[in-house]
Amino acid sequence: MSNKFHYGESLQKNEKLKMVEPQNQNLPSIIYAEVSVRSQSGDSLLKTSEIITSKNVERFYSEPQLVNATAEKLRAEGFNVFSEGPISITIAAPPEVYERVFQTTIITQEIPIIKGGLYPTKATFLSVPNAEISGLIDASGSSLTNLIEGVAINEPVYNTASVTPPKPNYWHLNVPDDICQGINAHRLHDQGITGSGVKVVMVDTGWYRHPFFESHGYQGKVVLDGGAVNPELDENGHGTGESANLFAIAPNVELTMVKAKSKKSALVNSVGAFKKAVSLNPDIISCSWGDDQRDPPLSAFAKVMSAIVSDAVNRGIIVVFSAGNGGWSFPGQHPDVISAGGVYMSSDGKLEASDYASGFRSRIFPQRTVPDVCGLVGRLPRATYIMLPVQPGSLMDVTRGARNIGYPYGDETLPKDGWAVFSGTSAAAPQLAGICALMKQVYPQISPQQARDFLKKTARDIFTGKSSLSTGGNQANVGVDLATGSGLADAFQAIMMAAKASGKTILNSTQLAQQQPEKFLVTNQIQTKEIIMDCKLGKYYEEILWALDKALQNVEGVEGEYQLVISQANLISRTPAMKAAYRLRMLLEPVLLLPKDPEDKPPKDKEEHNNLYQCLKSGVSAAEGLLSMKQYQETALNGLVKIIDYLNASWWELKDKSDLQSRAIKALGEISNTNNINSRLIPKTILDGGKCYWERDGQGNFYEICED
């Protein structure tokens, strides 16, 4: 489009909303809404059944001149206009103004929702009688009918965290160190990758300049959304606390907090606040809130919000939303956003899906699964997990610091000390936004789609635990799943991928080799965990752990319940004997990789037959060597069993196999006499005399046939 909009506040500073007591005492004194101006294409934003994304959102843009004319008409009718844009106009007025202009009646509806904390409750939504979709005011019959297609009444949306604060006697994480190291960002900070120059906007309850921020040099500013007041305060505390998660990952970002108009824990003008965030032209927008949208159709509010989000991504802005805490979060399930789920890290370093966080397959957006990737999140009942700074005496500080509420429902701190312990996917969203800021620093041209792709491709796979029962209690498995998406975000690996895409080299082998032995430290008042790695293996550390962890998944009786900790003392040079054993095992590897059933894939020709014979011959020699060295004996056993199985195949010529088979049987006889071998893997009969060969029955068991 040649004519670009810039979302901005058009309400004059000296203008104030007139508070008038509504005739219906259940109605709020001021109602916020979004006006949908008729589009250039003629397509209706509020009535379309099409899913709106960044790929088609421009079809719903309105002509700037028509938007301006509509705004003037709305002012003349008594509405306060807060912002104008190509998608909608944000307005506010007492209920009677809406009823007069649109010749209708505003009514209340009590709708079941799930608030932060997983507590089912009800919230008051506004609509009109006989609305085509929930919250939609029909403009036909009004003086605005030629200008607008309808009005979407704003719905209350809630932050998605439980609230709870210093030195409590239970396992928790501290900012910034524990979050930084848990997400693997500390190595990047040492190299100057801190989010410098990247603009991040958070839409939340405000930002209080806490002494904690001052001591760490964290900088931020506040912009008021229409209807919000007191930019120096965060009466709720949620926005302040969640910003600490962002700073833990990206300490030098340029943070702007859009303080949204709120009532208790609900944002009442979230669309307008998000539009304000877009108007600031940031690199990233992080939102730790959402509505519970389980089934289609979308409400009028959700349709407008969907289009506004798509417009932001279409402009190149990376948008991160929390996936929800037991609810079907919207816009967290929108296909254009990065949806942040939850992984819990216990005191021993074990990672599992958080049962507090949502995980589901969207019923609104086809093929959309939630979450994309995860941050660090606590568990049921209240996700009391991350110690965060809040405004002293704020709602979160007071309610969760009550002295009669113990852990895990409270945080066991003083009610006005300026600290609270909470998390939920509200914490995960700014953690992921912080990683995106680091990627943006090393790769300024990164697109929203690339940012999400890099996060998913580099995440640490989580294969234990379940997501919230409220969204199906999905099990974490190897690979992508509905519990954790692609897994726990890994800042270091994501930035390496972003740097590679940009053609930059952030850390080379020389730099890593010169670093001192690195310490990974997870701290709190309960326990200290420390891992020291050899500096020469530093650049391979993550891959080593990954390979070991992956191998443990296939060990009977272990299956992911244990981890192998590598310390500097463990990393020693191989002896000549171990080097020889390693080479012998490598020779045996091709045998172990042969197809399970030799009858399925016999050799195609003589050459293939000879190659297979040489492979089996090398395998027998390797197994004999391993047995004599008493190294990798179980591996040698498995190899011998497979070799004998192949030699007994019906297609094999006797002259090729007799000598090799006798050697394999003899070696198997030797291994059967060793006490430290799993005897269940050894065929039941091994004869020392006579000419014997093995056959296998229909159940896969071996039996011997001997010729005297």
Side-chain angles (χ1 to χ4, degrees):
M1 293 179 63
S2 58
N3 217 332
K4 291 289 186 180
F5 278 94
H6 185 274
Y7 293 124
E9 187 148 337
S10 55
L11 182 66
Q12 300 298 315
K13 291 183 179 180
N14 59 354
E15 272 190 84
K16 293 186 179 179
L17 292 173
K18 296 180 180 179
M19 300 295 183
V20 180
E21 289 296 324
Q23 294 182 352
N24 183 346
Q25 295 301 313
N26 292 323
L27 295 177
S29 58
I30 297 294
I31 296 175
Y32 294 83
E34 297 294 321
V35 176
S36 177
V37 182
R38 297 189 180 278
S39 68
Q40 300 176 63
S41 66
D43 294 334
S44 172
L45 169 66
L46 296 174
K47 296 181 181 180
T48 183
S49 59
E50 187 177 358
I51 298 298
I52 301 173
T53 69
S54 55
K55 296 179 181 179
N56 64 359
V57 67
E58 293 190 14
R59 290 207 343 256
F60 302 94
Y61 284 178
S62 306
E63 289 282 359
Q65 296 85 352
L66 188 62
V67 173
N68 294 334
T70 304
E72 289 302 316
K73 182 68 173 176
L74 288 165
R75 292 188 182 94
E77 293 286 1
F79 293 98
N80 287 287
V81 176
F82 287 105
S83 69
E84 304 170 25
I87 299 298
S88 66
I89 300 173
T90 303
I91 62 172
E96 60 266 23
V97 175
Y98 289 87
E99 294 177 336
R100 170 178 57 80
V101 173
F102 299 108
Q103 303 177 30
T104 189
T105 302
I106 305 296
I107 60 175
T108 60
Q109 297 176 327
E110 296 296 311
I111 298 177
I113 65 166
I114 297 178
K115 291 185 179 180
L118 300 184
Y119 293 125
T121 183
K122 290 185 177 181
T124 301
F125 290 69
L126 303 179
S127 191
V128 297
N130 303 315
E132 187 173 342
I133 58 175
S134 177
L136 174 61
I137 301 176
D138 189 358
S140 62
S142 73
S143 59
L144 295 159
T145 187
N146 294 326
L147 300 173
I148 69 176
E149 60 162 336
V151 179
I153 303 174
N154 256 277
E155 297 175 357
V157 296
Y158 297 85
N159 69 68
T160 58
S162 67
V163 293
T164 49
K167 301 183 179 181
N169 192 32
Y170 54 82
W171 168 251
H172 66 277
L173 303 180
N174 292 306
V175 290
D177 293 345
D178 292 345
I179 300 301
C180 174
Q181 295 182 27
I183 298 295
N184 200 17
H186 55 297
R187 298 164 66 187
L188 299 164
H189 296 174
D190 294 340
Q191 300 298 319
I193 305 171
T194 58
S196 179
V198 180
K199 298 178 180 178
V200 178
V201 174
M202 295 182 67
V203 179
D204 217 297
T205 60
W207 191 72
Y208 174 74
R209 196 171 295 276
H210 198 282
F212 170 82
F213 297 144
E214 299 275 351
S215 66
H216 284 78
Y218 302 150
Q219 300 294 320
K221 62 181 181 180
V222 179
V223 173
L224 295 177
D225 171 40
V229 296
N230 300 326
E232 73 282 0
L233 301 179
D234 180 9
E235 298 89 345
N236 180 279
H238 186 264
T240 300
E242 298 307 352
S243 73
N245 281 288
L246 171 70
F247 287 128
I249 306 300
N252 290 338
V253 295
E254 298 177 15
L255 171 66
T256 300
M257 178 68 71
V258 173
K259 182 179 180 180
K261 173 70 174 177
S262 62
K263 183 179 180 182
K264 292 185 178 180
S265 59
L267 306 182
V268 299
N269 188 30
S270 55
V271 175
F274 192 89
K275 288 164 65 177
K276 173 65 71 176
V278 176
S279 76
L280 300 175
N281 194 32
D283 299 302
I284 302 158
I285 297 176
S286 178
C287 297
S288 297
W289 44 265
D291 195 10
D292 190 23
Q293 295 277 342
R294 185 166 305 190
D295 298 298
L298 289 175
S299 66
F301 157 83
K303 281 179 175 286
V304 176
M305 177 62 83
S306 184
I308 297 296
V309 168
S310 295
D311 179 49
V313 175
N314 190 48
R315 295 169 181 239
I317 300 172
I318 300 169
V319 179
V320 185
F321 266 91
S322 52
N325 299 332
W328 298 60
S329 181
F330 178 86
Q333 61 181 292
H334 192 285
D336 284 330
V337 310
I338 298 172
S339 185
V343 166
Y344 178 77
M345 181 175 66
S346 59
S347 59
D348 60 0
K350 180 182 177 182
L351 300 173
E352 62 181 276
S354 167
D355 57 2
Y356 194 83
S358 298
F360 58 90
R361 190 178 305 277
S362 175
R363 301 171 186 172
I364 298 171
F365 302 102
Q367 286 78 55
R368 177 56 159 145
T369 59
V370 174
D372 290 310
V373 68
C374 295
L376 293 169
V377 172
R379 296 187 298 191
L380 288 172
R382 302 301 302 274
T384 309
Y385 189 48
I386 306 175
M387 179 71 71
L388 298 170
V390 296
Q391 179 177 316
S394 62
L395 179 67
M396 300 186 78
D397 195 358
V398 172
T399 58
R400 300 303 174 180
R403 296 186 180 185
N404 61 339
I405 304 177
Y407 175 80
Y409 294 94
D411 60 19
E412 300 182 358
T413 63
L414 298 176
K416 296 183 180 181
D417 64 355
W419 289 89
V421 184
F422 56 100
S423 61
T425 55
S426 281
Q431 292 169 19
L432 298 191
I435 300 176
C436 291
L438 303 183
M439 288 194 287
K440 190 76 176 180
Q441 181 184 344
V442 302
Y443 184 15
Q445 292 77 36
I446 191 171
S447 69
Q449 293 77 18
Q450 284 177 309
R452 180 166 64 180
D453 189 44
F454 292 170
L455 283 171
K456 293 174 68 173
K457 286 183 177 179
T458 59
R460 284 172 279 181
D461 192 18
I462 306 298
F463 35 79
T464 59
K466 293 183 178 181
S467 58
S468 171
L469 287 173
S470 301
T471 54
N474 293 296
Q475 176 70 51
N477 298 301
V478 176
V480 179
D481 52 59
L482 290 178
T484 64
S486 295
L488 178 63
D490 187 318
F492 183 84
Q493 297 299 335
I495 273 59
M496 293 300 102
M497 182 171 284
K500 184 178 181 180
S502 69
K504 298 179 181 177
T505 301
I506 304 301
L507 297 176
N508 57 44
S509 57
T510 303
Q511 289 174 314
L512 283 169
Q514 290 173 346
Q515 293 181 356
Q516 296 295 318
E518 193 167 352
K519 295 184 178 181
F520 295 88
L521 201 61
V522 178
T523 62
N524 69 28
Q525 291 75 19
I526 302 297
Q527 183 175 344
T528 299
K529 178 188 174 187
E530 183 174 321
I531 301 173
I532 303 174
M533 72 180 181
D534 187 287
C535 60
K536 292 182 179 180
L537 295 174
K539 62 180 178 178
Y540 304 112
Y541 179 75
E542 296 286 346
E543 290 303 315
I544 292 170
L545 286 187
W546 167 251
L548 292 171
D549 204 342
K550 193 174 181 180
L552 284 172
Q553 308 315 306
N554 299 318
V555 178
E556 186 178 356
V558 175
E559 300 172 344
E561 293 298 320
Y562 298 89
Q563 66 178 16
L564 187 58
V565 177
I566 299 177
S567 70
Q568 191 175 25
N570 298 134
L571 300 173
I572 61 176
S573 300
R574 280 196 178 99
T575 64
M578 284 302 301
K579 289 180 180 178
Y582 175 80
R583 286 194 293 269
L584 289 172
R585 176 157 180 172
M586 290 298 294
L587 286 172
L588 193 56
E589 285 291 312
V591 172
L592 299 173
L593 295 174
L594 289 173
K596 189 174 182 180
D597 190 348
E599 300 291 348
D600 288 345
K601 293 185 179 180
K604 296 178 182 179
D605 51 37
K606 187 175 181 180
E607 183 180 359
E608 189 174 301
H609 186 284
N610 290 334
N611 290 339
L612 178 59
Y613 180 80
Q614 292 300 322
C615 174
L616 299 181
K617 185 177 179 180
S618 298
V620 171
S621 299
E624 291 172 332
L626 291 173
L627 295 178
S628 66
M629 299 174 64
K630 294 184 168 48
Q631 298 287 343
Y632 302 116
Q633 292 181 307
E634 293 248 0
T635 302
L637 181 151
N638 290 326
L640 289 168
V641 169
K642 199 158 198 175
I643 289 167
I644 294 172
D645 196 19
Y646 265 75
L647 290 171
N648 285 332
S650 61
W651 45 261
W652 199 282
E653 297 176 14
L654 184 63
K655 64 179 182 179
D656 288 339
K657 73 176 183 179
S658 57
D659 179 62
L660 197 58
Q661 188 177 52
S662 63
R663 285 174 56 190
I665 291 175
K666 182 180 179 182
L668 203 58
E670 293 174 357
I671 200 171
S672 68
N673 296 321
T674 307
N675 294 327
N676 59 349
I677 295 299
N678 188 348
S679 61
R680 293 184 297 106
L681 300 177
I682 302 173
K684 59 182 179 179
T685 307
I686 299 175
L687 301 180
D688 295 325
K691 187 177 180 182
C692 303
Y693 58 94
W694 289 4
E695 293 286 0
R696 171 177 283 183
D697 61 24
Q699 285 72 47
N701 299 315
F702 284 98
Y703 65 95
E704 284 184 349
I705 300 176
C706 297
E707 301 173 5
D708 296 328

